[in-house]
Amino acid sequence: MAYEECTVVGRNAVMEAYRSGKTIDKLFILDGCQDGPIKSILRKARKRDTLIKFVSKEKLDSLSFHEKHQGVVAIAAAYEYATVEDLFKKAEEKGEAPFFILCDEIEDPHNLGAIIRTANLAGAHGVIIPKRRAVGLTSTVAKVSAGALNYTPVARVTNLSRTIDELKDKGMWFVCGDMGGELMYDLNLTGSIGLIIGNEGNGVSRLVKEKCDYIASIPMKGDIDSLNASVATGVLAFEIVRQRMGK
C-alpha cells in the first residue's frame, strides 16, 4: 500500500518495491525485529545502499498512518534519481559550461522543491543532494517543484565533499553563500560552477565550506540576519545567470 506516492507499508509491499527496481530512499524497521522476511528485506536494502533506520513501534505507526505495517515501512522516491554524469551530459547538449546547484543537508521538502524549481528557471543543468541527513525526492518535493523535476535532473550522492573533489578534477569550481563572505557582485561567477546551498539552520557545513573557492554574501538591509535557503538560492543563482549572460 502506498501513500502520497512514496510511503510503502508492509513486508510484501516493500519487498515488491525492491523487486520492481523502485528507488527506496529510507527503510524503517521495528527495533529488535530480525525474523526471516525482515532479514530478506534488509539484504535487498543493503544491496541498494538504502539508508536503514531501526525505530520504535510508535514511529512506525506514525509513518504508516496507523495501518498494519508488520514492522516495516519504506520511503520511496517519487522520481528517479539521475547520475552526476547525466548533469554533465545536459550541459554538453546545451553547449554550455556546467552549472550545478548542490544542497548541503537541506531537510525541508518545500525548500528542496523550490530550489529545484529555481534551478530549472536559472538554467542550471541539475541539482546534487546527499543521501544522509537530507530530504530525498518525495512527492511534496515534486509538487513544490511545479513540474521542474520533469526537466531538471537530481543526482543523489553518498558523500558531498568527495563529489566536490571529483567535480573539481573535471574543471569545476565552487561558491557557497555565507554572511561572512565577499559581496556576491564582486566575485567572478562565470565558467563551470557549482553553487552550494547550506542547511536551513546551520548553513554550509565546515568540511564543505573549506572546499569552496569563493564564499559569497548577499547584501541585506533588513533587521533579521538570514534568508530562507530557497530564497538565497534564487538570489545567488540569478547573479550567476546575470554574469553568464554578460560574458
mmCIF file of all heavy atoms in Angstrom, residues 2 16 23 37 47 73 76 93 95 118 146 159 186 189 198 208 210 224:
data_model
loop_
_atom_site.group_PDB
_atom_site.id
_atom_site.type_symbol
_atom_site.label_atom_id
_atom_site.label_comp_id
_atom_site.label_asym_id
_atom_site.label_seq_id
_atom_site.Cartn_x
_atom_site.Cartn_y
_atom_site.Cartn_z
ATOM 1 N N ALA A 2 0.549 2.237 -0.814
ATOM 2 C CA ALA A 2 1.371 3.444 -0.901
ATOM 3 C C ALA A 2 0.563 4.672 -0.520
ATOM 4 O O ALA A 2 -0.634 4.750 -0.761
ATOM 5 C CB ALA A 2 1.913 3.609 -2.319
ATOM 6 N N GLU A 16 8.155 -6.062 -2.806
ATOM 7 C CA GLU A 16 7.782 -5.882 -4.210
ATOM 8 C C GLU A 16 8.349 -4.581 -4.774
ATOM 9 O O GLU A 16 8.729 -4.512 -5.947
ATOM 10 C CB GLU A 16 6.258 -5.903 -4.374
ATOM 11 C CG GLU A 16 5.650 -7.286 -4.303
ATOM 12 C CD GLU A 16 6.261 -8.254 -5.299
ATOM 13 O OE1 GLU A 16 6.475 -7.873 -6.464
ATOM 14 O OE2 GLU A 16 6.556 -9.397 -4.908
ATOM 15 N N THR A 23 13.301 3.013 -6.484
ATOM 16 C CA THR A 23 14.331 3.589 -5.634
ATOM 17 C C THR A 23 13.768 3.832 -4.239
ATOM 18 O O THR A 23 12.806 4.582 -4.070
ATOM 19 C CB THR A 23 14.856 4.919 -6.215
ATOM 20 O OG1 THR A 23 15.384 4.673 -7.511
ATOM 21 C CG2 THR A 23 15.938 5.509 -5.331
ATOM 22 N N PRO A 37 11.663 -12.891 6.947
ATOM 23 C CA PRO A 37 11.244 -11.903 5.949
ATOM 24 C C PRO A 37 11.931 -10.548 6.124
ATOM 25 O O PRO A 37 12.294 -9.898 5.141
ATOM 26 C CB PRO A 37 9.732 -11.789 6.179
ATOM 27 C CG PRO A 37 9.341 -13.108 6.758
ATOM 28 C CD PRO A 37 10.492 -13.505 7.616
ATOM 29 N N LYS A 47 21.992 -4.057 -0.452
ATOM 30 C CA LYS A 47 22.483 -4.132 -1.836
ATOM 31 C C LYS A 47 22.209 -2.839 -2.592
ATOM 32 O O LYS A 47 22.974 -2.441 -3.466
ATOM 33 C CB LYS A 47 21.802 -5.298 -2.582
ATOM 34 C CG LYS A 47 22.384 -6.661 -2.263
ATOM 35 C CD LYS A 47 21.688 -7.730 -3.093
ATOM 36 C CE LYS A 47 22.204 -9.120 -2.731
ATOM 37 N NZ LYS A 47 21.471 -10.165 -3.485
ATOM 38 N N VAL A 73 8.400 -0.094 7.126
ATOM 39 C CA VAL A 73 7.882 0.986 6.288
ATOM 40 C C VAL A 73 9.043 1.522 5.457
ATOM 41 O O VAL A 73 10.158 1.710 5.966
ATOM 42 C CB VAL A 73 7.283 2.136 7.134
ATOM 43 C CG1 VAL A 73 6.895 3.319 6.250
ATOM 44 C CG2 VAL A 73 6.074 1.654 7.930
ATOM 45 N N ALA A 76 9.916 5.639 -0.578
ATOM 46 C CA ALA A 76 10.408 5.518 -1.945
ATOM 47 C C ALA A 76 10.474 6.888 -2.602
ATOM 48 O O ALA A 76 9.709 7.795 -2.264
ATOM 49 C CB ALA A 76 9.491 4.598 -2.758
ATOM 50 N N GLU A 93 24.817 18.982 -24.040
ATOM 51 C CA GLU A 93 23.754 19.084 -25.050
ATOM 52 C C GLU A 93 23.392 20.538 -25.338
ATOM 53 O O GLU A 93 23.035 20.895 -26.456
ATOM 54 C CB GLU A 93 22.503 18.332 -24.567
ATOM 55 C CG GLU A 93 22.634 16.823 -24.621
ATOM 56 C CD GLU A 93 21.528 16.122 -23.850
ATOM 57 O OE1 GLU A 93 20.615 16.833 -23.336
ATOM 58 O OE2 GLU A 93 21.563 14.878 -23.749
ATOM 59 N N GLY A 95 25.499 23.007 -24.963
ATOM 60 C CA GLY A 95 26.696 23.737 -25.369
ATOM 61 C C GLY A 95 27.090 24.804 -24.363
ATOM 62 O O GLY A 95 27.600 25.869 -24.727
ATOM 63 N N THR A 118 13.847 26.724 -8.913
ATOM 64 C CA THR A 118 14.774 27.822 -9.213
ATOM 65 C C THR A 118 15.887 27.353 -10.141
ATOM 66 O O THR A 118 16.270 28.064 -11.077
ATOM 67 C CB THR A 118 15.381 28.369 -7.899
ATOM 68 O OG1 THR A 118 14.336 28.949 -7.125
ATOM 69 C CG2 THR A 118 16.442 29.411 -8.173
ATOM 70 N N ALA A 146 6.813 22.223 -8.963
ATOM 71 C CA ALA A 146 5.879 22.694 -10.007
ATOM 72 C C ALA A 146 6.255 22.195 -11.399
ATOM 73 O O ALA A 146 6.232 22.941 -12.366
ATOM 74 C CB ALA A 146 5.796 24.223 -9.982
ATOM 75 N N ASN A 159 28.606 10.975 -0.607
ATOM 76 C CA ASN A 159 29.458 11.916 0.128
ATOM 77 C C ASN A 159 29.618 13.197 -0.682
ATOM 78 O O ASN A 159 30.265 13.201 -1.727
ATOM 79 C CB ASN A 159 30.820 11.258 0.404
ATOM 80 C CG ASN A 159 31.706 12.095 1.297
ATOM 81 O OD1 ASN A 159 32.003 13.244 0.984
ATOM 82 N ND2 ASN A 159 32.137 11.527 2.407
ATOM 83 N N ASP A 186 31.022 41.290 -6.334
ATOM 84 C CA ASP A 186 32.457 41.481 -6.526
ATOM 85 C C ASP A 186 33.173 40.208 -6.973
ATOM 86 O O ASP A 186 34.386 40.211 -7.181
ATOM 87 C CB ASP A 186 33.115 41.985 -5.231
ATOM 88 C CG ASP A 186 32.597 43.359 -4.826
ATOM 89 O OD1 ASP A 186 32.147 44.095 -5.728
ATOM 90 O OD2 ASP A 186 32.647 43.677 -3.631
ATOM 91 N N LEU A 189 31.599 34.911 -11.136
ATOM 92 C CA LEU A 189 30.799 33.694 -11.022
ATOM 93 C C LEU A 189 30.488 33.084 -12.385
ATOM 94 O O LEU A 189 29.419 32.517 -12.594
ATOM 95 C CB LEU A 189 29.504 34.000 -10.255
ATOM 96 C CG LEU A 189 29.688 34.598 -8.855
ATOM 97 C CD1 LEU A 189 28.340 34.889 -8.215
ATOM 98 C CD2 LEU A 189 30.509 33.678 -7.971
ATOM 99 N N GLY A 198 23.449 25.777 1.925
ATOM 100 C CA GLY A 198 23.566 25.070 3.191
ATOM 101 C C GLY A 198 22.249 24.751 3.861
ATOM 102 O O GLY A 198 21.179 25.217 3.462
ATOM 103 N N VAL A 208 32.466 21.166 3.884
ATOM 104 C CA VAL A 208 32.081 21.582 2.535
ATOM 105 C C VAL A 208 32.547 23.016 2.269
ATOM 106 O O VAL A 208 33.067 23.324 1.191
ATOM 107 C CB VAL A 208 30.551 21.447 2.344
ATOM 108 C CG1 VAL A 208 30.094 22.108 1.055
ATOM 109 C CG2 VAL A 208 30.143 19.975 2.349
ATOM 110 N N GLU A 210 35.092 24.544 3.419
ATOM 111 C CA GLU A 210 36.538 24.573 3.196
ATOM 112 C C GLU A 210 36.910 24.235 1.762
ATOM 113 O O GLU A 210 37.991 24.599 1.286
ATOM 114 C CB GLU A 210 37.230 23.606 4.153
ATOM 115 C CG GLU A 210 37.277 24.100 5.593
ATOM 116 C CD GLU A 210 37.821 23.064 6.560
ATOM 117 O OE1 GLU A 210 38.083 21.914 6.119
ATOM 118 O OE2 GLU A 210 37.983 23.386 7.746
ATOM 119 N N ILE A 224 16.537 41.262 10.224
ATOM 120 C CA ILE A 224 16.885 39.879 10.550
ATOM 121 C C ILE A 224 18.100 39.487 9.733
ATOM 122 O O ILE A 224 18.457 40.158 8.763
ATOM 123 C CB ILE A 224 15.696 38.918 10.308
ATOM 124 C CG1 ILE A 224 15.182 39.022 8.861
ATOM 125 C CG2 ILE A 224 14.570 39.217 11.285
ATOM 126 C CD1 ILE A 224 14.106 37.999 8.543
#
